[in-house]
Amino acid sequence: MYDRVVVEAPNFQNEMRQLLRERIVDAGRRIVVTEGWGAVNMSRLAKEVGVSRPVLYKEFGNKHELAEVVVRQEVDTFLVGIAESLAAHPADVEAGLTAAVEFTLRTGADNTLLKAVLSGRSATDTALLPVLMTETEPVLGRAIVAVTAAIRAQYGLAEMTDADLGALTEILVRLALSHLFQPTGPVDRAVAQIRLVVASTFGAALHSAE
């Protein structure tokens, strides 16, 4: 019995720590959505979660670390939807990639976190925007790697090297993010434009996927 308690105690501690991190992230996201990133501060988070500031700082050293985790979770939701969009068109690369782009743009347009950040209630709200748009991690780098892997897994594309597939995927990801963060028209128009890019950049591979 004693050995069982000794073995299970670390797991219990890890589970409790994970629950605490989730509560902190949920509280941070809730504040961003309702009041903007400028309203997020470590003292308020500690109070809302019900822990001391030292405990909070052990999990997140600063707001930037929290922002990365909040955004990473949001990106994960998009990546799951992208994979499902590809899977819905198992033999048609062009249709699958176009569906993935459309999912990204439509879901992004309805995303409360993105709306809160992009609306910028105050000058300080723009502090979260670089995490979403310009930093290699967590958005751009993770998205390119994950989407490239999803395309390879779904369509094979054996005639394309990993480097070529990664480069073409990066083009699509950057283009989709550009339309997402700086739309110049309706989603249908953006999807149609990106579909033209899909057809031209992937070329013959669109007709030879297995």
Side-chain angles (χ1 to χ4, degrees), residues 70-93:
V70 170
V71 173
R72 186 180 301 121
Q73 288 191 355
E74 215 70 18
V75 172
D76 286 344
T77 300
F78 280 89
L79 293 178
V80 169
I82 288 171
E84 292 175 347
S85 298
L86 298 177
H89 302 275
D92 191 332
V93 183

Side-chain angles (χ1 to χ4, degrees), residues 110-131:
D110 294 330
N111 187 281
T112 54
L113 177 64
L114 291 179
K115 286 182 177 180
V117 175
L118 296 177
S119 66
R121 291 179 173 81
S122 66
T124 54
D125 283 351
T126 60
L128 188 57
L129 197 54
V131 180

Side-chain angles (χ1 to χ4, degrees), residues 93 152 155-162 164-165 168 202-210:
V93 183
R152 179 72 81 189
Y155 299 114
L157 301 177
E159 71 284 355
M160 298 184 70
T161 66
D162 289 342
D164 287 344
L165 180 57
L168 294 178
F202 278 78
L206 296 174
H207 309 289
S208 61
E210 297 179 355

